[in-house]
Amino acid sequence: MSEIDALVNGCLMPGFAGTAVPEWVPDALGEGLSGVCLYGQNLAGAADGTARVAELTAAVRAARPDALVALDEEGGDVTRLEYLTGSRYPGNLALGVVDDEALTEAVARSIGRDLRRVGVAVDFAPSVDVNSDPRNPVIGVRSFGADPALVARHGAAAVRGLRAAGVAATAKHFPGHGATTVDSHLGLPVIDVDEAVFRGRELPPFTAAVAAGADLVMTSHVVFPALDDRPATLSRRILVDLLRGELGFAGVVVTDALDMAGVRAAHGIPEAGALALAAGADLLLVGAEDGEEHCAAIRAAVAAHLRAGTLTEERLREAAGRVTALRERLAAAAAPPAEDGDGIGAEAARRALRSRDLVPLPAPAVVVELRAEANMAVGEAKWSLAEPLDALGLMAEPVTVREPGPSAEDVLARAAGRPLVVAVRDACRSPWQETWLRALTGQRPDAVTVALGLPDDLRLVPGPALATHGAARACTDAAAEALRG
């Protein structure tokens, strides 16, 4: 392998298919690959997701002890360690509702310690996007809220907590993904606001995260026309002039996954990777697909750009050098002392509950779960309100509702004469769920509606209601306890 190819490898972080580390990964690590990113698909079929992650990281480190292993462990709805069971920690929106920075820092520190115990040194968290548009299909409860100052305070606290546990923290998705109505996994979002609005709304949380010591900043595949006509991942104006120059960020700039349509649709993965390096990115997150062929294609694309003069060897060496410095620092870092973090997630989830006219269930209830397709960041991570209610002896019958049925009328007939609980998750952004929910609660205003996503769902219904601000296991357990009274 040439020196240039080895430098490119040092800027690559692919995923891989399957539930075991494939043979090509150790070979690539021996040729300079920076490390790997783990995804929910890598946990399929595992009895214990945390144990599976530990097995995978051990296999990676056996090939290269200083390899980076990263994943998205935001707490709340986006989890990899507890993808199969639901997270023991509430997510950002719940923490923003509580608005206790010390609690946010403690939760992040506990998450970081969980990661360190299984060999993960890089967390692609926290999201410091300001969720200014409730229609946002991909951020939502992953944001601390809609107030830039609140998001800035809690984003900085989360960065401090992760770093205190010896885990590299990543502020994402720069310079903001909260005002979009398009999911960049599926298309190219545009946030068309003037620069003054952008600087007052999107930018403050990233400024705070950088000041708090964020080790990485992840780019967004989002266009800000006031700044550039290219998505941020491919914009030198945003990554170099703004992030490096104005915010003074000196760490690793990592792209969001290059297999997302926000950049892949127009450029393809290899070309997007080369363009991102030229724009100022250091680490290319290749994506969840098996990365062997994509890495080879990116090396070829980078070589073509070097020959054309659209990417310089100096820029490539700079990028690889930053990633190497991060890898070496994390490998040399001592593990933090043991600390009992048990219970912090449950405490945070309980404090985040908000209720309206809620009374304890008088008897076991028919528990309805409205389920729509989750966004790709969340994936198939588990959530259930029926299970914790059943564990408390408060579930008479579970009913799962997906489009197109069963109908509200069918469920009303089944629940006649019995308490009724309906769990919803962002029905305010799903026309069929909103119609279904209104039809049911119009006939059963005594039904308890539990919003496991945005609290906006509760505006759709009369009667008793509970908002958890997330669907993590910590949140559903807290909701079940509240319904028991």
Side-chain angles (χ1 to χ4, degrees):
M1 173 168 282
S2 71
E3 181 186 9
I4 292 297
D5 282 347
L7 287 171
V8 178
N9 272 357
C11 299
L12 297 178
M13 179 174 276
F16 56 85
T19 58
V21 176
E23 292 182 1
W24 68 265
V25 170
D27 293 342
L29 290 169
E31 295 178 332
L33 188 72
S34 74
V36 297
C37 183
L38 304 180
Y39 295 89
Q41 66 185 22
N42 301 126
L43 307 181
D48 182 341
T50 299
R52 170 70 60 75
V53 172
E55 292 169 3
L56 294 172
T57 59
V60 170
R61 295 273 164 66
R64 182 173 179 174
D66 67 346
L68 298 175
V69 180
L71 45 68
D72 295 271
E73 193 63 39
E74 300 178 14
D77 291 22
V78 178
T79 176
R80 300 296 177 257
L81 286 185
E82 298 181 288
Y83 190 76
L84 307 174
T85 60
S87 178
R88 293 179 296 119
Y89 305 96
N92 287 355
L93 183 59
L95 294 170
V97 167
V98 176
D99 197 12
D100 179 342
E101 293 164 50
L103 179 66
T104 296
E105 184 170 343
V107 167
R109 185 168 59 250
S110 189
I111 290 173
R113 290 176 186 277
D114 291 347
L115 293 173
R116 280 297 300 263
R117 278 193 287 270
V118 296
V120 175
V122 178
D123 191 5
F124 290 142
S127 166
V128 295
D129 304 295
V130 177
N131 197 58
S132 56
D133 193 327
R135 299 171 298 170
N136 193 308
V138 69
I139 301 300
V141 297
R142 301 168 66 196
S143 168
F144 290 108
D147 175 15
L150 179 144
V151 175
R153 288 189 288 105
H154 285 275
V159 167
R160 292 193 298 269
L162 287 170
R163 299 189 83 236
V167 170
T170 309
K172 64 182 185 184
H173 307 81
F174 186 79
H177 206 317
T180 66
T181 57
V182 173
D183 182 348
S184 55
H185 292 87
L186 306 174
L188 178 59
V190 176
I191 298 180
D192 194 5
V193 296
D194 63 40
E195 189 167 346
V197 170
F198 163 78
R199 289 182 174 276
R201 186 178 67 188
E202 271 75 22
L203 206 53
F206 289 98
T207 302
V210 169
D215 304 276
L216 303 93
V217 169
M218 178 180 284
T219 68
S220 67
H221 306 326
V222 177
V223 175
F224 290 82
L227 303 176
D228 201 338
D229 60 1
R230 291 162 289 192
T233 299
L234 310 181
S235 169
R236 187 171 180 83
R237 163 77 178 91
I238 291 174
L239 301 188
V240 176
D241 297 348
L242 180 60
L243 180 57
R244 297 286 189 201
E246 292 190 36
L247 272 60
F249 180 63
V252 171
V253 175
V254 57
T255 69
D256 207 345
L258 298 177
D259 62 352
M260 296 165 61
V263 293
R264 184 180 192 172
H267 303 285
I269 291 175
E271 183 69 7
L275 291 172
L277 285 171
D282 304 309
L283 181 60
L284 305 180
L285 187 60
V286 180
E289 300 173 6
D290 200 64
E292 183 176 19
E293 291 185 6
H294 291 314
C295 288
I298 290 172
R299 289 193 295 269
V302 168
H305 277 261
L306 288 169
R307 290 192 298 270
T310 50
L311 172 65
T312 67
E313 185 176 328
E314 179 184 16
R315 166 81 271 272
L316 180 60
R317 290 185 181 278
E318 176 187 58
R322 286 200 184 104
V323 177
T324 297
L326 174 67
R327 195 180 67 243
E328 291 176 346
R329 177 169 63 80
L330 292 173
E339 180 180 288
D340 183 8
D342 288 348
I344 190 68
E347 175 195 344
R350 285 192 295 267
R351 291 176 63 184
L353 294 177
R354 297 295 183 268
S355 64
R356 181 183 72 205
D357 302 330
L358 190 69
V359 295
L361 289 174
V366 174
V367 182
V368 181
E369 295 180 342
L370 268 67
R371 290 182 175 269
E373 186 176 353
N375 67 60
M376 293 179 69
V378 173
E380 298 302 318
K382 182 176 180 178
W383 69 270
S384 174
L385 180 60
E387 287 187 8
L389 284 172
D390 188 36
L392 296 175
L394 290 173
M395 185 183 72
E397 178 184 355
V399 180
T400 298
V401 177
R402 304 180 189 273
E403 192 175 21
S407 69
E409 291 72 21
D410 289 341
V411 173
L412 285 166
R414 292 166 67 172
R418 296 187 287 179
L420 181 58
V421 175
V422 185
V424 297
R425 192 178 184 192
D426 298 342
C428 58
R429 294 194 286 101
S430 171
W432 79 262
Q433 287 191 79
E434 178 177 346
T435 298
W436 195 101
L437 186 60
R438 288 185 184 277
L440 182 130
T441 57
Q443 296 296 314
R444 283 288 301 266
D446 64 311
V448 180
T449 302
V450 181
L452 299 177
L454 295 173
D456 304 57
D457 286 355
L458 301 188
R459 299 175 185 171
L460 307 176
V461 298
L466 183 64
T468 64
H469 305 95
R473 176 161 51 98
C475 299
T476 55
D477 284 352
E481 291 174 2
L483 290 168
R484 178 175 61 177

PDB file of all heavy atoms in Angstrom, residues 2 23 31 35 45 51 59 77 107 110 115 134 147 192 209 239 242 266 314 337 352 402 427 442 446 466 468:
ATOM      1  N   SER A   2       0.516   2.231  -0.814  1.00  0.00           N
ATOM      2  CA  SER A   2       1.312   3.452  -0.911  1.00  0.00           C
ATOM      3  C   SER A   2       1.133   4.308   0.342  1.00  0.00           C
ATOM      4  O   SER A   2       0.181   4.146   1.113  1.00  0.00           O
ATOM      5  CB  SER A   2       0.870   4.258  -2.129  1.00  0.00           C
ATOM      6  OG  SER A   2      -0.423   4.819  -1.919  1.00  0.00           O
ATOM      7  N   GLU A  23     -13.067 -10.318   8.109  1.00  0.00           N
ATOM      8  CA  GLU A  23     -11.618 -10.455   7.944  1.00  0.00           C
ATOM      9  C   GLU A  23     -10.968  -9.211   7.372  1.00  0.00           C
ATOM     10  O   GLU A  23      -9.805  -8.922   7.681  1.00  0.00           O
ATOM     11  CB  GLU A  23     -11.313 -11.659   7.045  1.00  0.00           C
ATOM     12  CG  GLU A  23     -11.648 -13.004   7.674  1.00  0.00           C
ATOM     13  CD  GLU A  23     -11.272 -14.161   6.769  1.00  0.00           C
ATOM     14  OE1 GLU A  23     -10.728 -13.894   5.666  1.00  0.00           O
ATOM     15  OE2 GLU A  23     -11.516 -15.322   7.149  1.00  0.00           O
ATOM     16  N   GLU A  31      -3.193  -1.629   7.844  1.00  0.00           N
ATOM     17  CA  GLU A  31      -2.751  -0.707   6.795  1.00  0.00           C
ATOM     18  C   GLU A  31      -3.176   0.731   7.102  1.00  0.00           C
ATOM     19  O   GLU A  31      -3.304   1.545   6.200  1.00  0.00           O
ATOM     20  CB  GLU A  31      -3.318  -1.162   5.449  1.00  0.00           C
ATOM     21  CG  GLU A  31      -2.756  -2.508   5.005  1.00  0.00           C
ATOM     22  CD  GLU A  31      -3.360  -2.985   3.692  1.00  0.00           C
ATOM     23  OE1 GLU A  31      -4.520  -2.618   3.392  1.00  0.00           O
ATOM     24  OE2 GLU A  31      -2.667  -3.719   2.958  1.00  0.00           O
ATOM     25  N   GLY A  35     -10.181   3.184  12.428  1.00  0.00           N
ATOM     26  CA  GLY A  35     -11.039   2.435  13.331  1.00  0.00           C
ATOM     27  C   GLY A  35     -12.354   2.123  12.657  1.00  0.00           C
ATOM     28  O   GLY A  35     -12.470   2.191  11.424  1.00  0.00           O
ATOM     29  N   GLY A  45     -29.697 -10.193  16.911  1.00  0.00           N
ATOM     30  CA  GLY A  45     -29.692 -11.534  17.460  1.00  0.00           C
ATOM     31  C   GLY A  45     -28.946 -11.701  18.767  1.00  0.00           C
ATOM     32  O   GLY A  45     -28.926 -12.798  19.335  1.00  0.00           O
ATOM     33  N   ALA A  51     -22.761  -6.853  25.820  1.00  0.00           N
ATOM     34  CA  ALA A  51     -21.735  -7.893  25.683  1.00  0.00           C
ATOM     35  C   ALA A  51     -21.278  -8.020  24.233  1.00  0.00           C
ATOM     36  O   ALA A  51     -20.089  -8.219  23.962  1.00  0.00           O
ATOM     37  CB  ALA A  51     -22.273  -9.232  26.190  1.00  0.00           C
ATOM     38  N   ALA A  59     -12.296  -7.544  19.488  1.00  0.00           N
ATOM     39  CA  ALA A  59     -11.767  -8.073  18.235  1.00  0.00           C
ATOM     40  C   ALA A  59     -11.035  -6.992  17.449  1.00  0.00           C
ATOM     41  O   ALA A  59      -9.986  -7.257  16.838  1.00  0.00           O
ATOM     42  CB  ALA A  59     -12.906  -8.657  17.401  1.00  0.00           C
ATOM     43  N   ASP A  77     -33.667   7.890  22.834  1.00  0.00           N
ATOM     44  CA  ASP A  77     -34.122   7.077  21.705  1.00  0.00           C
ATOM     45  C   ASP A  77     -32.981   6.534  20.859  1.00  0.00           C
ATOM     46  O   ASP A  77     -33.145   5.518  20.183  1.00  0.00           O
ATOM     47  CB  ASP A  77     -35.047   7.911  20.805  1.00  0.00           C
ATOM     48  CG  ASP A  77     -36.372   8.231  21.476  1.00  0.00           C
ATOM     49  OD1 ASP A  77     -36.447   8.196  22.719  1.00  0.00           O
ATOM     50  OD2 ASP A  77     -37.346   8.533  20.764  1.00  0.00           O
ATOM     51  N   VAL A 107     -25.502  12.319  33.896  1.00  0.00           N
ATOM     52  CA  VAL A 107     -26.002  11.305  32.969  1.00  0.00           C
ATOM     53  C   VAL A 107     -24.959  11.028  31.889  1.00  0.00           C
ATOM     54  O   VAL A 107     -24.666   9.867  31.567  1.00  0.00           O
ATOM     55  CB  VAL A 107     -27.343  11.753  32.351  1.00  0.00           C
ATOM     56  CG1 VAL A 107     -27.704  10.871  31.153  1.00  0.00           C
ATOM     57  CG2 VAL A 107     -28.447  11.704  33.391  1.00  0.00           C
ATOM     58  N   SER A 110     -22.120   9.004  33.254  1.00  0.00           N
ATOM     59  CA  SER A 110     -22.492   7.602  33.431  1.00  0.00           C
ATOM     60  C   SER A 110     -22.521   6.864  32.095  1.00  0.00           C
ATOM     61  O   SER A 110     -22.052   5.724  31.992  1.00  0.00           O
ATOM     62  CB  SER A 110     -23.856   7.515  34.121  1.00  0.00           C
ATOM     63  OG  SER A 110     -24.153   6.190  34.480  1.00  0.00           O
ATOM     64  N   LEU A 115     -19.583   3.205  28.214  1.00  0.00           N
ATOM     65  CA  LEU A 115     -18.850   3.031  26.962  1.00  0.00           C
ATOM     66  C   LEU A 115     -17.418   2.571  27.211  1.00  0.00           C
ATOM     67  O   LEU A 115     -16.916   1.654  26.538  1.00  0.00           O
ATOM     68  CB  LEU A 115     -18.857   4.338  26.164  1.00  0.00           C
ATOM     69  CG  LEU A 115     -20.211   4.790  25.632  1.00  0.00           C
ATOM     70  CD1 LEU A 115     -20.108   6.170  25.011  1.00  0.00           C
ATOM     71  CD2 LEU A 115     -20.760   3.797  24.611  1.00  0.00           C
ATOM     72  N   PRO A 134     -40.853  22.037  15.066  1.00  0.00           N
ATOM     73  CA  PRO A 134     -41.403  20.783  15.601  1.00  0.00           C
ATOM     74  C   PRO A 134     -41.715  19.752  14.534  1.00  0.00           C
ATOM     75  O   PRO A 134     -41.941  18.587  14.854  1.00  0.00           O
ATOM     76  CB  PRO A 134     -42.677  21.248  16.324  1.00  0.00           C
ATOM     77  CG  PRO A 134     -43.033  22.552  15.708  1.00  0.00           C
ATOM     78  CD  PRO A 134     -41.728  23.190  15.328  1.00  0.00           C
ATOM     79  N   ASP A 147     -34.676  26.394  22.676  1.00  0.00           N
ATOM     80  CA  ASP A 147     -34.032  27.617  23.153  1.00  0.00           C
ATOM     81  C   ASP A 147     -32.515  27.483  22.989  1.00  0.00           C
ATOM     82  O   ASP A 147     -31.895  26.619  23.613  1.00  0.00           O
ATOM     83  CB  ASP A 147     -34.388  27.846  24.617  1.00  0.00           C
ATOM     84  CG  ASP A 147     -33.666  29.034  25.224  1.00  0.00           C
ATOM     85  OD1 ASP A 147     -33.102  29.851  24.466  1.00  0.00           O
ATOM     86  OD2 ASP A 147     -33.657  29.148  26.463  1.00  0.00           O
ATOM     87  N   ASP A 192     -33.036  27.895   5.079  1.00  0.00           N
ATOM     88  CA  ASP A 192     -32.932  29.165   4.350  1.00  0.00           C
ATOM     89  C   ASP A 192     -33.304  30.325   5.262  1.00  0.00           C
ATOM     90  O   ASP A 192     -34.420  30.854   5.221  1.00  0.00           O
ATOM     91  CB  ASP A 192     -33.829  29.132   3.118  1.00  0.00           C
ATOM     92  CG  ASP A 192     -33.504  30.258   2.145  1.00  0.00           C
ATOM     93  OD1 ASP A 192     -32.523  30.994   2.412  1.00  0.00           O
ATOM     94  OD2 ASP A 192     -34.216  30.390   1.139  1.00  0.00           O
ATOM     95  N   ALA A 209     -20.102  24.186  23.052  1.00  0.00           N
ATOM     96  CA  ALA A 209     -19.520  22.835  23.061  1.00  0.00           C
ATOM     97  C   ALA A 209     -18.025  22.876  22.788  1.00  0.00           C
ATOM     98  O   ALA A 209     -17.244  22.149  23.416  1.00  0.00           O
ATOM     99  CB  ALA A 209     -20.221  21.962  22.029  1.00  0.00           C
ATOM    100  N   LEU A 239     -16.637  24.822   7.351  1.00  0.00           N
ATOM    101  CA  LEU A 239     -15.737  24.001   8.157  1.00  0.00           C
ATOM    102  C   LEU A 239     -14.434  24.698   8.517  1.00  0.00           C
ATOM    103  O   LEU A 239     -13.904  24.492   9.615  1.00  0.00           O
ATOM    104  CB  LEU A 239     -15.436  22.684   7.431  1.00  0.00           C
ATOM    105  CG  LEU A 239     -16.635  21.804   7.090  1.00  0.00           C
ATOM    106  CD1 LEU A 239     -16.167  20.462   6.546  1.00  0.00           C
ATOM    107  CD2 LEU A 239     -17.534  21.606   8.295  1.00  0.00           C
ATOM    108  N   LEU A 242     -15.566  29.222   9.366  1.00  0.00           N
ATOM    109  CA  LEU A 242     -16.446  29.380  10.520  1.00  0.00           C
ATOM    110  C   LEU A 242     -15.999  28.528  11.706  1.00  0.00           C
ATOM    111  O   LEU A 242     -15.718  29.047  12.794  1.00  0.00           O
ATOM    112  CB  LEU A 242     -17.884  29.038  10.122  1.00  0.00           C
ATOM    113  CG  LEU A 242     -18.946  29.150  11.216  1.00  0.00           C
ATOM    114  CD1 LEU A 242     -19.011  30.571  11.764  1.00  0.00           C
ATOM    115  CD2 LEU A 242     -20.317  28.731  10.667  1.00  0.00           C
ATOM    116  N   ALA A 266     -26.082  13.205  -4.709  1.00  0.00           N
ATOM    117  CA  ALA A 266     -25.505  14.084  -5.722  1.00  0.00           C
ATOM    118  C   ALA A 266     -24.095  13.687  -6.120  1.00  0.00           C
ATOM    119  O   ALA A 266     -23.671  13.964  -7.249  1.00  0.00           O
ATOM    120  CB  ALA A 266     -25.508  15.530  -5.217  1.00  0.00           C
ATOM    121  N   GLU A 314      -0.829  18.252   1.522  1.00  0.00           N
ATOM    122  CA  GLU A 314      -0.722  18.931   2.823  1.00  0.00           C
ATOM    123  C   GLU A 314      -2.032  18.818   3.604  1.00  0.00           C
ATOM    124  O   GLU A 314      -2.043  18.552   4.810  1.00  0.00           O
ATOM    125  CB  GLU A 314      -0.352  20.398   2.610  1.00  0.00           C
ATOM    126  CG  GLU A 314      -0.242  21.186   3.911  1.00  0.00           C
ATOM    127  CD  GLU A 314       0.038  22.654   3.654  1.00  0.00           C
ATOM    128  OE1 GLU A 314      -0.143  23.115   2.504  1.00  0.00           O
ATOM    129  OE2 GLU A 314       0.426  23.356   4.623  1.00  0.00           O
ATOM    130  N   PRO A 337     -11.713   6.347  37.530  1.00  0.00           N
ATOM    131  CA  PRO A 337     -12.040   5.487  38.671  1.00  0.00           C
ATOM    132  C   PRO A 337     -13.487   5.023  38.604  1.00  0.00           C
ATOM    133  O   PRO A 337     -14.345   5.676  38.023  1.00  0.00           O
ATOM    134  CB  PRO A 337     -11.800   6.407  39.881  1.00  0.00           C
ATOM    135  CG  PRO A 337     -11.918   7.797  39.330  1.00  0.00           C
ATOM    136  CD  PRO A 337     -11.389   7.721  37.942  1.00  0.00           C
ATOM    137  N   ALA A 352     -38.334  14.281  34.587  1.00  0.00           N
ATOM    138  CA  ALA A 352     -38.759  14.849  33.305  1.00  0.00           C
ATOM    139  C   ALA A 352     -40.247  14.649  33.022  1.00  0.00           C
ATOM    140  O   ALA A 352     -40.767  15.230  32.060  1.00  0.00           O
ATOM    141  CB  ALA A 352     -37.941  14.238  32.171  1.00  0.00           C
ATOM    142  N   ARG A 402     -50.640  -0.230  13.904  1.00  0.00           N
ATOM    143  CA  ARG A 402     -49.846   0.317  12.808  1.00  0.00           C
ATOM    144  C   ARG A 402     -50.804   0.671  11.687  1.00  0.00           C
ATOM    145  O   ARG A 402     -51.932   0.170  11.638  1.00  0.00           O
ATOM    146  CB  ARG A 402     -48.816  -0.698  12.314  1.00  0.00           C
ATOM    147  CG  ARG A 402     -47.871  -1.222  13.383  1.00  0.00           C
ATOM    148  CD  ARG A 402     -46.887  -2.226  12.800  1.00  0.00           C
ATOM    149  NE  ARG A 402     -46.109  -2.891  13.819  1.00  0.00           N
ATOM    150  CZ  ARG A 402     -44.969  -2.430  14.324  1.00  0.00           C
ATOM    151  NH1 ARG A 402     -44.473  -1.292  13.876  1.00  0.00           N
ATOM    152  NH2 ARG A 402     -44.312  -3.102  15.254  1.00  0.00           N
ATOM    153  N   ALA A 427     -47.228  11.647  17.229  1.00  0.00           N
ATOM    154  CA  ALA A 427     -48.448  11.643  16.413  1.00  0.00           C
ATOM    155  C   ALA A 427     -48.685  13.001  15.773  1.00  0.00           C
ATOM    156  O   ALA A 427     -49.325  13.091  14.720  1.00  0.00           O
ATOM    157  CB  ALA A 427     -49.649  11.254  17.270  1.00  0.00           C
ATOM    158  N   GLY A 442     -61.903  10.869  21.301  1.00  0.00           N
ATOM    159  CA  GLY A 442     -63.201  11.529  21.194  1.00  0.00           C
ATOM    160  C   GLY A 442     -64.304  10.697  21.816  1.00  0.00           C
ATOM    161  O   GLY A 442     -65.276  11.228  22.364  1.00  0.00           O
ATOM    162  N   ASP A 446     -61.682   9.566  28.827  1.00  0.00           N
ATOM    163  CA  ASP A 446     -61.015   9.112  30.047  1.00  0.00           C
ATOM    164  C   ASP A 446     -59.729   8.353  29.753  1.00  0.00           C
ATOM    165  O   ASP A 446     -58.968   8.046  30.679  1.00  0.00           O
ATOM    166  CB  ASP A 446     -61.951   8.212  30.846  1.00  0.00           C
ATOM    167  CG  ASP A 446     -62.296   6.933  30.081  1.00  0.00           C
ATOM    168  OD1 ASP A 446     -62.677   7.042  28.888  1.00  0.00           O
ATOM    169  OD2 ASP A 446     -62.162   5.841  30.662  1.00  0.00           O
ATOM    170  N   LEU A 466     -49.845  12.197  30.009  1.00  0.00           N
ATOM    171  CA  LEU A 466     -48.512  12.156  30.588  1.00  0.00           C
ATOM    172  C   LEU A 466     -47.493  12.309  29.473  1.00  0.00           C
ATOM    173  O   LEU A 466     -47.602  11.650  28.436  1.00  0.00           O
ATOM    174  CB  LEU A 466     -48.307  10.816  31.310  1.00  0.00           C
ATOM    175  CG  LEU A 466     -47.000  10.576  32.066  1.00  0.00           C
ATOM    176  CD1 LEU A 466     -46.863  11.550  33.232  1.00  0.00           C
ATOM    177  CD2 LEU A 466     -46.960   9.133  32.573  1.00  0.00           C
ATOM    178  N   THR A 468     -43.418  12.016  28.593  1.00  0.00           N
ATOM    179  CA  THR A 468     -42.130  11.503  29.073  1.00  0.00           C
ATOM    180  C   THR A 468     -40.945  12.187  28.410  1.00  0.00           C
ATOM    181  O   THR A 468     -39.831  12.079  28.888  1.00  0.00           O
ATOM    182  CB  THR A 468     -42.019   9.995  28.813  1.00  0.00           C
ATOM    183  OG1 THR A 468     -42.031   9.777  27.392  1.00  0.00           O
ATOM    184  CG2 THR A 468     -43.157   9.237  29.466  1.00  0.00           C
TER     185      THR A 468
END
